[in-house]
Amino acid sequence: MAAYDVFLRGLAAYRRNTFDGYRKAIEDFQTALTLDPAFVQAHAAIASAYLATRMYSWTRVESFTSPTDVVLSAGQHERELLEKAREHLAVAMRNPTSLAYRSSAEILIVENKYDEAVTEMRKAIALDPNDADNYAVLSSVLVWAGQPASAIEPIERAMRLNPLHPSFYFCHYGSALFSLGRYAEAKDKFERCQAGNPNNLWSYLYLIATYAYLGQDAKAAVQRERASELLRREGRSLFSVKEVRNRMHYRYQADLLRLLVGLHKAHVPDSLF
């Protein structure tokens, strides 16, 4: 029960989708595994947390065996985080839960294995059809896989299953609309995502491009400044266009170019923020 309690605390921190939230989540999941090394849910959750940390391109990896942070180069940092995620997922998949299948799908997207990722999400839903997060992640996976039109129904179902859903559901919804070129609708979703979590960097990134497509240059400029301040405040490295290209695991070049063209329309230089 002690392991389960700290696991739930970790989930709450993870769902904040913030710099400190992910770090706290990893600490809590690690504590849960110290209390119960066979706790497969904690293994699956920490795999997702490491992967999310990699996605956000943070340059510091917390050391859980000493109070000292380990500073790595960007390449070393990413490889270590992805390897940690894979190691924990391997344990979780010995007795897979829907959370394990979700984590597996997220790793498969990073590996550009899109059809396999969709299959994993179908398995997650089959195991737990009442978990709203399963549908939200399926929606995101379908966007990456180049099927944004198919991503609308699962995110709307997720919102019906959990009317008090976290704000990142709006980002998933917005990314599907953005890929469909429905910018006015996407703007509303990204704004609501950002209102619920002002520390979600990706809402800034997409809002910059969305405002540019809508001809709202002044709002795009405000987003650039706010994103820069967020990165400085959290001590995170500045993004570049190359970073965006590496972070966005779209299956099709056209979907990636839609975002990059929007950033250029917003007069974003090669060093984005």
Side-chain angles (χ1 to χ4, degrees):
M1 290 306 297
Y4 186 63
D5 179 70
V6 74
F7 167 75
L8 292 180
R9 295 175 188 272
L11 281 183
Y14 176 84
R15 290 165 71 84
R16 293 205 301 266
N17 291 111
T18 65
F19 180 87
D20 289 330
Y22 284 129
R23 183 164 55 186
K24 180 64 165 61
I26 291 173
E27 291 174 351
D28 286 341
F29 296 146
Q30 189 63 64
T31 299
L33 290 173
T34 299
L35 293 168
D36 182 358
F39 190 2
V40 293
Q41 286 283 74
H43 280 289
I46 200 171
S48 286
Y50 278 128
L51 199 65
T53 303
R54 177 187 180 278
M55 181 71 170
Y56 275 74
S57 188
W58 295 332
T59 56
R60 298 178 74 83
V61 181
E62 188 76 16
S63 170
F64 299 106
T65 57
S66 73
T68 305
D69 286 351
V70 180
V71 181
L72 303 171
S73 71
Q76 291 173 312
H77 170 67
E78 291 188 12
R79 287 191 296 273
E80 177 172 304
L81 291 176
L82 185 56
E83 186 58 32
K84 284 178 178 287
R86 286 171 173 154
E87 288 173 0
H88 284 284
L89 179 64
V91 178
M93 293 301 284
R94 294 173 187 170
N95 183 21
T97 62
S98 66
L99 180 56
Y101 284 124
R102 281 210 309 269
S103 298
S104 176
E106 292 165 352
I107 290 177
L108 287 166
I109 288 294
V110 172
E111 296 173 342
N112 300 322
K113 298 176 180 177
Y114 302 97
D115 296 335
E116 293 94 327
V118 173
T119 298
E120 293 293 87
M121 286 313 306
R122 300 295 185 193
K123 292 177 182 177
I125 290 171
L127 271 182
D128 193 349
N130 292 315
D131 187 335
D133 284 355
N134 284 338
Y135 296 97
V137 175
L138 172 61
S139 178
S140 179
V141 166
L142 288 168
V143 171
W144 294 123
Q147 303 176 49
S150 299
I152 300 296
E153 190 277 333
I155 192 60
E156 289 181 342
R157 180 179 295 193
M159 291 177 168
R160 289 195 301 272
L161 281 171
N162 183 6
L164 301 178
H165 59 80
S167 62
F168 68 79
Y169 279 28
F170 286 119
C171 277
H172 289 337
Y173 202 160
S175 65
L177 294 167
F178 182 88
S179 290
L180 291 168
R182 294 162 58 177
Y183 302 119
E185 297 168 86
K187 176 182 75 70
D188 173 69
K189 304 304 180 186
F190 290 131
E191 287 176 341
R192 296 177 74 175
C193 176
Q194 191 175 91
N197 180 6
N199 294 316
N200 187 316
L201 181 62
W202 298 109
S203 66
Y204 292 95
L205 184 68
Y206 277 99
L207 271 175
I208 291 170
T210 300
Y211 284 139
Y213 278 118
L214 294 172
Q216 300 178 11
D217 294 343
K219 289 186 176 181
V222 170
Q223 291 296 314
R224 290 199 306 270
E225 290 304 313
R226 292 178 64 186
S228 296
E229 176 57 31
L230 173 63
L231 289 167
R232 285 192 295 267
R233 186 169 66 248
E234 295 184 340
R236 292 157 62 178
S237 58
L238 298 184
F239 276 1
S240 67
V241 171
K242 180 180 179 181
E243 281 286 294
V244 174
R245 293 178 67 92
N246 291 338
R247 302 293 159 202
M248 296 299 174
H249 297 285
Y250 285 113
R251 183 176 200 165
Y252 299 117
Q253 186 78 354
D255 291 322
L256 175 61
L257 288 175
R258 183 186 298 275
L259 175 60
L260 297 181
V261 168
L263 295 174
H264 285 296
K265 281 180 176 289
H267 309 293
V268 174
D270 285 344
S271 180
L272 285 183
F273 305 134

